[in-house]
């Protein structure tokens, strides 16, 4: 397994690869859901490239960036076990921004809603780095989780708008046994918060009315940003202590 640190190394590595490439972009602190994306990429392509890059331009909150979990040794072990060919992990954030972020992707509608309303600039930063990564990796397929459904939908929109070569593959949300969507940020929950956290998914799937979901979450110690029903899905973001949790479910999953 190769570890690539610069854009130039990644481009050179990619040029020499025969066959089809599956790409899984992440911010590290890998868990079973990331492993499931890697496994799918492995099954559907000749080669798998994983990126681990905590992208500063998508963090609107400096503390969130500073506290983002880093688990390099365990990330390496997971990548190795899933048969990854190369990890692109730039050590210097400037590696992805030789222009100092003068140039970027702008989406003018959906990126302002839901999470975008509470995280200004987040989706433009995310789209910009995904675009750069797609250009560098030039994969046949790139794999994204439905857990970040708004992100997935905006990436699909960008890929269509700019005629990207890469096919975007959506992967279902993986959950802990108690229903909590797996997330790197779950590592930052206290024991008490971890116990409360699965209620987010339970409330989304068992309460019919979105405004009642909000009240129920607030009564259970969550600080709610939004609960919104939109195009057959229900989306929510809420804080437990210092940790922001997001989730979404399909209408059919609701009782
Ligand atoms: P991140 O956790 O932000 O590094 O996300 C890297 C990729 O993994 C994104 O495409 C996420 O949507 C995906 N992902 C993260 N958590 C989950 C999950 N619980 N289920 C499915 N995909 C996930």
């Amino acid at each position: 397994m190769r570890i690539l640190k610069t854009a130039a190394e990644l481009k050179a590595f990619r040029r020499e690869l025969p066959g089809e490439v599956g790409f899984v972009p992440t911010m590290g602190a890998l868990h079973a859901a990331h492993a499931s994306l890697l496994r799918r990429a492995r099954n559907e392509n000749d080669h798998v490239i994983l990126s681990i890059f905590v992208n500063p331009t998508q963090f609107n909150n400096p503390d969130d960036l500073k506290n983002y979990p880093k688990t390099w040794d365990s990330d390496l072990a997971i990548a190795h076990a899933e048969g990854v060919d190369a990890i692109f992990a730039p050590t210097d954030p400037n590696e992805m921004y030789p222009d100092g972020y003068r140039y970027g992707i702008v989406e003018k509608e959906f990126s302002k809603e839901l999470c975008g309303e509470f995280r200004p600039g987040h989706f433009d930063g995310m789209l910009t780095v995904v675009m750069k990564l797609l250009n560098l990796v030039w994969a046949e397929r790139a794999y994204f989780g439905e857990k970040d459904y708004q992100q997935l939908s905006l990436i699909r929109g960008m890929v269509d708008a700019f005629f990207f070569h890469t096919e975007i593959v959506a992967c279902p949300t993986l959950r802990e046994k108690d229903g909590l969507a797996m997330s790197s940020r779950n590592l930052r929950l206290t024991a008490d918060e971890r116990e409360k956290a699965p209620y987010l998914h339970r409330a989304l799937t068992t309460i019919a009315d979105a405004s009642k979901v909000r009240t129920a979450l607030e009564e259970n110690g969550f600080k709610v940003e939004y609960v919104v029903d939109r195009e057959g899905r229900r989306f929510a973001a809420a804080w437990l202590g210092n940790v922001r949790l997001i989730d979404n479910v399909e209408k059919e999953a609701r009782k």
Side-chain angles (χ1 to χ4, degrees):
M1 187 167 70
R2 291 278 307 277
I3 311 291
L4 310 166
K5 294 287 183 191
T6 66
E9 280 176 85
L10 173 57
K11 270 174 122 170
F13 177 81
R14 173 63 180 103
R15 253 197 310 271
E16 299 305 316
L17 277 186
E20 296 190 331
V21 170
F23 175 43
V24 180
T26 76
M27 299 202 297
L30 302 184
H31 46 68
H34 299 120
S36 77
L37 268 59
L38 291 169
R39 207 163 309 144
R40 178 135 178 219
R42 175 84 267 164
N43 287 339
E44 297 178 357
N45 301 275
D46 302 308
H47 303 283
V48 178
I49 297 181
L50 162 70
S51 67
I52 296 182
F53 179 60
V54 183
N55 172 37
T57 68
Q58 72 188 69
F59 282 81
N60 54 305
N61 174 345
D63 280 344
D64 190 26
L65 175 60
K66 196 171 73 186
N67 296 327
Y68 200 83
K70 288 177 188 67
T71 58
W72 176 252
D73 291 341
S74 122
D75 292 356
L76 270 188
I78 291 172
H80 192 72
E82 298 302 336
V84 166
D85 293 86
I87 306 180
F88 175 54
T91 24
D92 180 1
N94 296 325
E95 187 62 32
M96 293 306 287
Y97 294 95
D99 60 333
Y101 198 29
R102 273 180 64 211
Y103 294 89
I105 294 283
V106 176
E107 196 279 344
K108 297 173 191 159
E109 293 176 15
F110 191 34
S111 66
K112 313 287 182 207
E113 296 177 37
L114 305 179
C115 286
E117 190 187 330
F118 297 88
R119 302 187 69 190
H122 163 67
F123 285 120
D124 288 348
M126 177 282 293
L127 288 172
T128 301
V129 84
V130 169
M131 178 210 46
K132 287 166 183 260
L133 289 167
L134 291 178
N135 271 337
L136 289 170
V137 177
W138 206 252
E140 270 61 36
R141 295 171 198 86
Y143 296 80
F144 293 89
E146 289 185 343
K147 188 232 163 201
D148 302 280
Y149 200 88
Q150 189 177 11
Q151 165 174 290
L152 167 68
S153 157
L154 286 162
I155 291 167
R156 278 194 190 291
M158 174 179 75
V159 161
D160 290 348
F162 293 113
F163 309 107
F164 269 75
H165 145 92
T166 306
E167 177 195 344
I168 302 302
V169 183
C171 304
T173 303
L174 250 72
R175 299 180 180 281
E176 305 289 354
K177 282 199 188 72
D178 57 17
L180 175 65
M182 290 182 185
S183 165
S184 306
R185 288 186 179 87
N186 294 348
L187 292 172
R188 292 176 40 213
L189 294 167
T190 63
D192 179 48
E193 289 160 359
R194 177 63 190 82
E195 244 176 65
K196 288 184 179 151
Y199 187 68
L200 175 59
H201 179 246
R202 205 172 323 135
L204 289 178
T205 50
T206 57
I207 300 173
D209 188 72
S211 68
K212 293 211 172 94
V213 175
R214 170 184 276 273
T215 315
L217 286 169
E218 283 167 353
E219 283 167 2
N220 281 272
F222 290 79
K223 219 173 115 237
V224 179
E225 283 187 354
Y226 64 84
V227 179
V228 171
D229 290 337
R230 191 184 192 279
E231 292 172 14
R233 294 193 92 81
R234 172 171 284 174
F235 298 83
W239 292 78
L240 269 181
N242 295 323
V243 183
R244 184 174 181 274
L245 301 173
I246 60 170
D247 205 343
N248 71 90
V249 294
E250 230 181 330
K251 209 170 186 174
E252 291 73 59
R254 282 161 37 201
K255 303 202 172 80

